[in-house]
Amino acid sequence: MGAGNGRGFRPTAVLPGVAAAALYGWAHWYFAGPGSPPAAVAVAVGAVLCGAACAVYFVRVHGGGALFGALFLAVGLLLTVTTADRAAGRAESAVCVVREVHSQVQGSYGEGAPPAKTVHRVDLDCPGGYPDELKGDGPPPARGEEIEVAYDARRRVSPEPAGTTSPWKPAVWAVLLLGAAGLIAARSPEPAT
């Protein structure tokens, strides 16, 4: 029994942590492992892991929090994959020259929606021909400017400007959302018998 609340251990309360660990391990192996699977297999297995965890959570958690808990779990798992991507080794780097910058404004619709943002695709001239472009919504470099780019020679993760791939922000958000999902599961009412 739990301490004073009449509830015993709830296995569903640890499901978010277990699912995140399994998904992070899978994603890390794909992004940084030596013999990782093809991208289609990696995405399919990741989607099945995420979908199965959310389905089990939704079925096992009762009460009004089940939907929100499953949503927190899904977003937390996606952030877990983002963390694995950001933590993956981009062991190579090259100093590249910006050949061209293409900008596109992505609109946002509906009341309360986030503001529109500008996304940039930067065409690069790098030694050896790779990487050949960067994508992002940060301030773009000027045409003709030299920038250092970190990349994975096996091309499993996208190239990024050197020094910009910290995994801490998505990791913190993942922990908060997965913790909220676990808390909702731990406090859910007992199923009717």
PDB file of all heavy atoms in Angstrom, residues 171-193:
ATOM      1  N   ALA A 171      16.028  17.975 -23.434  1.00  0.00           N
ATOM      2  CA  ALA A 171      16.095  16.982 -22.361  1.00  0.00           C
ATOM      3  C   ALA A 171      15.313  17.446 -21.137  1.00  0.00           C
ATOM      4  O   ALA A 171      14.566  16.664 -20.531  1.00  0.00           O
ATOM      5  CB  ALA A 171      17.548  16.695 -21.995  1.00  0.00           C
ATOM      6  N   VAL A 172      15.460  18.709 -20.771  1.00  0.00           N
ATOM      7  CA  VAL A 172      14.737  19.234 -19.609  1.00  0.00           C
ATOM      8  C   VAL A 172      13.236  19.197 -19.851  1.00  0.00           C
ATOM      9  O   VAL A 172      12.460  18.764 -18.994  1.00  0.00           O
ATOM     10  CB  VAL A 172      15.226  20.658 -19.266  1.00  0.00           C
ATOM     11  CG1 VAL A 172      14.298  21.340 -18.272  1.00  0.00           C
ATOM     12  CG2 VAL A 172      16.651  20.612 -18.717  1.00  0.00           C
ATOM     13  N   TRP A 173      12.801  19.627 -21.032  1.00  0.00           N
ATOM     14  CA  TRP A 173      11.365  19.596 -21.346  1.00  0.00           C
ATOM     15  C   TRP A 173      10.844  18.163 -21.372  1.00  0.00           C
ATOM     16  O   TRP A 173       9.728  17.886 -20.923  1.00  0.00           O
ATOM     17  CB  TRP A 173      11.081  20.306 -22.666  1.00  0.00           C
ATOM     18  CG  TRP A 173      10.998  21.788 -22.491  1.00  0.00           C
ATOM     19  CD1 TRP A 173      11.911  22.713 -22.880  1.00  0.00           C
ATOM     20  CD2 TRP A 173       9.934  22.508 -21.860  1.00  0.00           C
ATOM     21  NE1 TRP A 173      11.482  23.964 -22.525  1.00  0.00           N
ATOM     22  CE2 TRP A 173      10.272  23.869 -21.902  1.00  0.00           C
ATOM     23  CE3 TRP A 173       8.741  22.128 -21.249  1.00  0.00           C
ATOM     24  CZ2 TRP A 173       9.451  24.856 -21.367  1.00  0.00           C
ATOM     25  CZ3 TRP A 173       7.919  23.120 -20.719  1.00  0.00           C
ATOM     26  CH2 TRP A 173       8.281  24.463 -20.777  1.00  0.00           C
ATOM     27  N   ALA A 174      11.633  17.235 -21.907  1.00  0.00           N
ATOM     28  CA  ALA A 174      11.219  15.827 -21.933  1.00  0.00           C
ATOM     29  C   ALA A 174      11.023  15.299 -20.514  1.00  0.00           C
ATOM     30  O   ALA A 174      10.017  14.654 -20.213  1.00  0.00           O
ATOM     31  CB  ALA A 174      12.241  14.980 -22.686  1.00  0.00           C
ATOM     32  N   VAL A 175      11.966  15.582 -19.624  1.00  0.00           N
ATOM     33  CA  VAL A 175      11.865  15.119 -18.238  1.00  0.00           C
ATOM     34  C   VAL A 175      10.627  15.707 -17.560  1.00  0.00           C
ATOM     35  O   VAL A 175       9.890  14.995 -16.856  1.00  0.00           O
ATOM     36  CB  VAL A 175      13.151  15.461 -17.453  1.00  0.00           C
ATOM     37  CG1 VAL A 175      12.957  15.300 -15.960  1.00  0.00           C
ATOM     38  CG2 VAL A 175      14.310  14.605 -17.945  1.00  0.00           C
ATOM     39  N   LEU A 176      10.370  16.990 -17.779  1.00  0.00           N
ATOM     40  CA  LEU A 176       9.193  17.620 -17.157  1.00  0.00           C
ATOM     41  C   LEU A 176       7.891  16.986 -17.657  1.00  0.00           C
ATOM     42  O   LEU A 176       6.992  16.662 -16.863  1.00  0.00           O
ATOM     43  CB  LEU A 176       9.188  19.118 -17.432  1.00  0.00           C
ATOM     44  CG  LEU A 176      10.269  19.936 -16.721  1.00  0.00           C
ATOM     45  CD1 LEU A 176      10.252  21.379 -17.195  1.00  0.00           C
ATOM     46  CD2 LEU A 176      10.084  19.868 -15.216  1.00  0.00           C
ATOM     47  N   LEU A 177       7.766  16.809 -18.968  1.00  0.00           N
ATOM     48  CA  LEU A 177       6.537  16.228 -19.521  1.00  0.00           C
ATOM     49  C   LEU A 177       6.366  14.758 -19.140  1.00  0.00           C
ATOM     50  O   LEU A 177       5.255  14.316 -18.808  1.00  0.00           O
ATOM     51  CB  LEU A 177       6.511  16.400 -21.037  1.00  0.00           C
ATOM     52  CG  LEU A 177       6.306  17.839 -21.510  1.00  0.00           C
ATOM     53  CD1 LEU A 177       6.538  17.948 -23.004  1.00  0.00           C
ATOM     54  CD2 LEU A 177       4.925  18.336 -21.140  1.00  0.00           C
ATOM     55  N   LEU A 178       7.451  13.996 -19.180  1.00  0.00           N
ATOM     56  CA  LEU A 178       7.370  12.588 -18.799  1.00  0.00           C
ATOM     57  C   LEU A 178       7.074  12.452 -17.308  1.00  0.00           C
ATOM     58  O   LEU A 178       6.319  11.560 -16.893  1.00  0.00           O
ATOM     59  CB  LEU A 178       8.663  11.864 -19.171  1.00  0.00           C
ATOM     60  CG  LEU A 178       8.936  11.767 -20.677  1.00  0.00           C
ATOM     61  CD1 LEU A 178      10.367  11.313 -20.930  1.00  0.00           C
ATOM     62  CD2 LEU A 178       7.936  10.857 -21.356  1.00  0.00           C
ATOM     63  N   GLY A 179       7.645  13.344 -16.503  1.00  0.00           N
ATOM     64  CA  GLY A 179       7.338  13.351 -15.073  1.00  0.00           C
ATOM     65  C   GLY A 179       5.875  13.667 -14.817  1.00  0.00           C
ATOM     66  O   GLY A 179       5.229  13.049 -13.952  1.00  0.00           O
ATOM     67  N   ALA A 180       5.309  14.625 -15.557  1.00  0.00           N
ATOM     68  CA  ALA A 180       3.890  14.963 -15.413  1.00  0.00           C
ATOM     69  C   ALA A 180       3.016  13.770 -15.802  1.00  0.00           C
ATOM     70  O   ALA A 180       2.027  13.464 -15.127  1.00  0.00           O
ATOM     71  CB  ALA A 180       3.548  16.181 -16.275  1.00  0.00           C
ATOM     72  N   ALA A 181       3.384  13.069 -16.876  1.00  0.00           N
ATOM     73  CA  ALA A 181       2.623  11.883 -17.285  1.00  0.00           C
ATOM     74  C   ALA A 181       2.692  10.808 -16.209  1.00  0.00           C
ATOM     75  O   ALA A 181       1.683  10.156 -15.897  1.00  0.00           O
ATOM     76  CB  ALA A 181       3.143  11.345 -18.615  1.00  0.00           C
ATOM     77  N   GLY A 182       3.858  10.605 -15.614  1.00  0.00           N
ATOM     78  CA  GLY A 182       4.002   9.628 -14.534  1.00  0.00           C
ATOM     79  C   GLY A 182       3.189  10.010 -13.306  1.00  0.00           C
ATOM     80  O   GLY A 182       2.562   9.163 -12.671  1.00  0.00           O
ATOM     81  N   LEU A 183       3.171  11.285 -12.985  1.00  0.00           N
ATOM     82  CA  LEU A 183       2.401  11.769 -11.838  1.00  0.00           C
ATOM     83  C   LEU A 183       0.898  11.584 -12.063  1.00  0.00           C
ATOM     84  O   LEU A 183       0.172  11.146 -11.162  1.00  0.00           O
ATOM     85  CB  LEU A 183       2.725  13.238 -11.573  1.00  0.00           C
ATOM     86  CG  LEU A 183       2.092  13.860 -10.333  1.00  0.00           C
ATOM     87  CD1 LEU A 183       2.554  13.130  -9.075  1.00  0.00           C
ATOM     88  CD2 LEU A 183       2.459  15.337 -10.242  1.00  0.00           C
ATOM     89  N   ILE A 184       0.441  11.883 -13.265  1.00  0.00           N
ATOM     90  CA  ILE A 184      -0.977  11.672 -13.586  1.00  0.00           C
ATOM     91  C   ILE A 184      -1.331  10.194 -13.455  1.00  0.00           C
ATOM     92  O   ILE A 184      -2.372   9.836 -12.893  1.00  0.00           O
ATOM     93  CB  ILE A 184      -1.310  12.205 -14.994  1.00  0.00           C
ATOM     94  CG1 ILE A 184      -1.266  13.737 -15.000  1.00  0.00           C
ATOM     95  CG2 ILE A 184      -2.665  11.703 -15.462  1.00  0.00           C
ATOM     96  CD1 ILE A 184      -1.331  14.360 -16.379  1.00  0.00           C
ATOM     97  N   ALA A 185      -0.464   9.310 -13.945  1.00  0.00           N
ATOM     98  CA  ALA A 185      -0.717   7.868 -13.829  1.00  0.00           C
ATOM     99  C   ALA A 185      -0.735   7.415 -12.381  1.00  0.00           C
ATOM    100  O   ALA A 185      -1.572   6.603 -11.989  1.00  0.00           O
ATOM    101  CB  ALA A 185       0.332   7.084 -14.619  1.00  0.00           C
ATOM    102  N   ALA A 186       0.156   7.953 -11.565  1.00  0.00           N
ATOM    103  CA  ALA A 186       0.232   7.563 -10.158  1.00  0.00           C
ATOM    104  C   ALA A 186      -1.009   8.026  -9.386  1.00  0.00           C
ATOM    105  O   ALA A 186      -1.433   7.366  -8.430  1.00  0.00           O
ATOM    106  CB  ALA A 186       1.475   8.144  -9.518  1.00  0.00           C
ATOM    107  N   ARG A 187      -1.613   9.124  -9.812  1.00  0.00           N
ATOM    108  CA  ARG A 187      -2.778   9.669  -9.102  1.00  0.00           C
ATOM    109  C   ARG A 187      -4.111   9.286  -9.725  1.00  0.00           C
ATOM    110  O   ARG A 187      -5.149   9.733  -9.254  1.00  0.00           O
ATOM    111  CB  ARG A 187      -2.659  11.187  -9.041  1.00  0.00           C
ATOM    112  CG  ARG A 187      -1.498  11.645  -8.217  1.00  0.00           C
ATOM    113  CD  ARG A 187      -1.474  13.165  -8.139  1.00  0.00           C
ATOM    114  NE  ARG A 187      -0.505  13.621  -7.192  1.00  0.00           N
ATOM    115  CZ  ARG A 187      -0.763  13.875  -5.904  1.00  0.00           C
ATOM    116  NH1 ARG A 187      -1.955  13.680  -5.432  1.00  0.00           N
ATOM    117  NH2 ARG A 187       0.180  14.298  -5.110  1.00  0.00           N
ATOM    118  N   SER A 188      -4.103   8.491 -10.784  1.00  0.00           N
ATOM    119  CA  SER A 188      -5.354   8.132 -11.443  1.00  0.00           C
ATOM    120  C   SER A 188      -6.192   7.238 -10.539  1.00  0.00           C
ATOM    121  O   SER A 188      -5.657   6.472  -9.743  1.00  0.00           O
ATOM    122  CB  SER A 188      -5.100   7.442 -12.781  1.00  0.00           C
ATOM    123  OG  SER A 188      -4.625   6.134 -12.580  1.00  0.00           O
ATOM    124  N   PRO A 189      -7.526   7.322 -10.660  1.00  0.00           N
ATOM    125  CA  PRO A 189      -8.385   6.475  -9.818  1.00  0.00           C
ATOM    126  C   PRO A 189      -8.264   5.010 -10.196  1.00  0.00           C
ATOM    127  O   PRO A 189      -7.881   4.669 -11.306  1.00  0.00           O
ATOM    128  CB  PRO A 189      -9.789   7.004 -10.102  1.00  0.00           C
ATOM    129  CG  PRO A 189      -9.700   7.721 -11.399  1.00  0.00           C
ATOM    130  CD  PRO A 189      -8.276   8.201 -11.539  1.00  0.00           C
ATOM    131  N   GLU A 190      -8.597   4.168  -9.223  1.00  0.00           N
ATOM    132  CA  GLU A 190      -8.575   2.724  -9.455  1.00  0.00           C
ATOM    133  C   GLU A 190      -9.610   2.372 -10.509  1.00  0.00           C
ATOM    134  O   GLU A 190     -10.696   2.971 -10.546  1.00  0.00           O
ATOM    135  CB  GLU A 190      -8.906   1.969  -8.165  1.00  0.00           C
ATOM    136  CG  GLU A 190      -7.816   2.053  -7.121  1.00  0.00           C
ATOM    137  CD  GLU A 190      -6.593   1.248  -7.468  1.00  0.00           C
ATOM    138  OE1 GLU A 190      -6.688   0.315  -8.288  1.00  0.00           O
ATOM    139  OE2 GLU A 190      -5.526   1.564  -6.936  1.00  0.00           O
ATOM    140  N   PRO A 191      -9.323   1.403 -11.386  1.00  0.00           N
ATOM    141  CA  PRO A 191     -10.328   0.975 -12.351  1.00  0.00           C
ATOM    142  C   PRO A 191     -11.510   0.326 -11.644  1.00  0.00           C
ATOM    143  O   PRO A 191     -11.357  -0.298 -10.599  1.00  0.00           O
ATOM    144  CB  PRO A 191      -9.595  -0.020 -13.240  1.00  0.00           C
ATOM    145  CG  PRO A 191      -8.416  -0.470 -12.446  1.00  0.00           C
ATOM    146  CD  PRO A 191      -8.075   0.658 -11.519  1.00  0.00           C
ATOM    147  N   ALA A 192     -12.688   0.489 -12.236  1.00  0.00           N
ATOM    148  CA  ALA A 192     -13.883  -0.141 -11.669  1.00  0.00           C
ATOM    149  C   ALA A 192     -13.784  -1.651 -11.828  1.00  0.00           C
ATOM    150  O   ALA A 192     -13.367  -2.143 -12.871  1.00  0.00           O
ATOM    151  CB  ALA A 192     -15.122   0.387 -12.380  1.00  0.00           C
ATOM    152  N   THR A 193     -14.155  -2.395 -10.787  1.00  0.00           N
ATOM    153  CA  THR A 193     -14.078  -3.862 -10.855  1.00  0.00           C
ATOM    154  C   THR A 193     -15.443  -4.492 -10.903  1.00  0.00           C
ATOM    155  O   THR A 193     -16.421  -3.987 -10.510  1.00  0.00           O
ATOM    156  CB  THR A 193     -13.301  -4.435  -9.655  1.00  0.00           C
ATOM    157  OG1 THR A 193     -13.905  -3.957  -8.449  1.00  0.00           O
ATOM    158  CG2 THR A 193     -11.866  -4.043  -9.726  1.00  0.00           C
TER     159      THR A 193
END
